[in-house]
Amino acid sequence: MNITLHHTGRTYTQPPVIAAPPSKSDAHRLLILAALSQTDTPITLSCRDTNADIDATVRCLCALGAGIEKRYGGYTVTPINRTGCPANQEIFMNVGESGSTLRFLIPVIGALGIPAVIRREGRLPDRPLYPLDAALTDHGMTLYDDTDDRSLLHLRGQLTAGNYAIDGGVSSQFISGLLFALPLLDAPSALHITGTISSAPYIALTRSALFRFGYPVLPSDDGHNYMLPPAGFHPCETLRVEGDWSGAAFLLCAGAMTDGVTVTGLTADSVQGDRRILEVLSMAGCRIKQTDDTVTVLPPDNGSLRPITVNADDFPDLVPPIAMLCCAAAGTSVISGCARLRIKESDRLAAARNMICALGGQADTTDDTITVHGIGVLHGGSCDGANDHRMVMSAALGALIAQSPVIVSDRDAIGKSYPGFFDDISAFGIADTDAFQ
């Protein structure tokens, strides 16, 4: 379904104050570790909101035997009784379109030795599982697509301890899944990461979550080797899901493109890689003020954003909003490190280029880069949301500098990560002329 967005031209004397949505990256990790914990009492997890991806992880953990009750402001998690896991009965799990849920839980299911069939939706059946599937197959698991329904993935076998090797350049989620699973085995394992490690901050986020559950894990000096002895997970503190720097990046870019914004709930020392949006905004000339949990972004003193050159290999999810930010700057901006965007919920590299051009801007791409030739404004018009939450939200940023309304398809895709986005973006004078009819 389409949504028509236009900028009312509204200005304000004080920047709007908006609470960041919860980090689904952090929520996935904490929910999984809570469900795998060795404790006799339920675990309380503070999380002020939810989204489709978080719901997918909750749904799948419950299928594995966890008890997860949604309460106001969070969850109560009763861990899986691992001694009572079914050894022969195939369980059914629906991960929806959540690649994180799928990639995190495949190794965990193998470590638990539970036969399972997983339903994958959207583009997920086409997104690669190699080389994770090869590493797991070498250690006792079998993975295969259903012959009648390719959306279904079957898992069999008991994962065994040993020496694991995996290419670090495809997906950090493969590495995180192994970091969750290998400590559950009955003997030590070693994990060796080959090649270049992409999205390294997401691995750091996994290590941070493991530390909060009493399992400190440190890589070798070069970051490529881990020793993972068998151990239980024990929560060592009150658990709170951080605010999401990925979702907040759209708000911060909106502030840079208008008269500023203050976003609350963002942890200043977070290991979330998308915290680097502040570096990008600083490169563009923005003024930034930060406290322990609040960020204020104001446009440059002269009101003119600068073009930027940046490598986004460690924060690929930021490329769509950064590309729209570059449309608001007069000059040529180059964003590199983008190759993995082609295997996201959409081909985000092509989708970003197509969206900018459809709205009257200029952009071109190579296999690894997007170059934006900004002139400060867009014409407006119709564009394809590509059934991708980050692309639909990027269209709203385009509406901030468009001379006529922006019509974008697939408006409901925002439910994957940020269901309240359109309510929040309205603080910048973005109005929905369809009134959500």
Side-chain angles (χ1 to χ4, degrees), residues 190-368:
L191 174 60
H192 175 59
I193 305 169
T194 62
T196 301
I197 301 176
S198 296
S199 296
Y202 285 98
I203 301 172
L205 187 61
T206 297
R207 297 205 318 264
S208 175
L210 285 163
F211 180 82
R212 295 169 73 178
F213 279 82
Y215 191 88
V217 55
L218 294 174
S220 57
D221 289 343
D222 64 1
H224 284 261
N225 295 282
Y226 291 86
M227 294 301 301
L228 300 165
F233 300 136
H234 303 278
C236 57
E237 57 183 278
T238 300
L239 298 171
R240 182 184 66 83
V241 174
E242 292 185 0
D244 183 31
W245 281 91
S246 300
F250 290 89
L251 305 176
L252 298 172
C253 287
M257 296 164 71
T258 55
D259 296 320
V261 68
T262 295
V263 181
T264 63
L266 293 174
T267 305
D269 60 354
S270 172
V271 296
Q272 292 180 51
D274 290 347
R275 185 165 63 94
R276 291 184 63 187
I277 187 60
L278 298 185
E279 294 179 24
V280 175
L281 291 169
S282 180
M283 292 168 59
C286 295
R287 295 165 289 160
I288 298 168
K289 302 175 184 178
Q290 189 171 13
T291 67
D292 289 343
D293 64 353
T294 298
V295 176
T296 297
V297 169
L298 299 170
D301 282 326
N302 65 2
S304 298
L305 292 167
R306 297 195 295 257
I308 63 170
T309 298
V310 65
N311 186 314
D313 185 63
D314 278 345
F315 45 93
D317 285 342
L318 293 185
V319 171
I322 292 174
M324 279 300 175
L325 177 77
C326 293
C327 290
T332 298
S333 296
V334 180
I335 310 168
S336 60
C338 302
R340 284 173 300 122
L341 290 175
R342 296 196 181 276
I343 56 171
K344 295 288 188 175
E345 287 85 341
S346 67
D347 178 344
R348 283 187 183 152
L349 202 55
R353 178 199 62 215
N354 293 344
M355 179 174 286
I356 290 169
C357 293
L359 297 179
Q362 298 181 47
D364 48 74
T365 58
T366 67
D367 288 342
D368 188 56

Side-chain angles (χ1 to χ4, degrees), residues 22 63 79 109 130 205 275 373 409:
I109 291 167
Y130 183 83
L205 187 61
R275 185 165 63 94
H373 308 282
S409 65

Side-chain angles (χ1 to χ4, degrees), residues 12 61 111 144 160 170 172 187 216 240 263 360:
Y12 35 83
L61 292 172
Y144 59 94
T160 58
V170 180
S172 66
R240 182 184 66 83
V263 181

Side-chain angles (χ1 to χ4, degrees), residues 379-431:
H379 300 321
S382 297
C383 59
D384 183 6
N387 196 32
D388 187 329
H389 55 130
R390 299 200 192 279
M391 296 314 307
V392 175
M393 292 190 288
S394 295
L397 294 184
L400 290 170
I401 56 170
Q403 296 168 322
S404 62
V406 168
I407 304 169
V408 60
S409 65
D410 305 312
R411 72 183 187 191
D412 293 337
I414 63 167
K416 182 175 173 65
S417 65
Y418 195 167
F421 174 74
F422 288 127
D423 289 336
D424 287 346
I425 203 72
S426 67
F428 300 94
I430 289 291

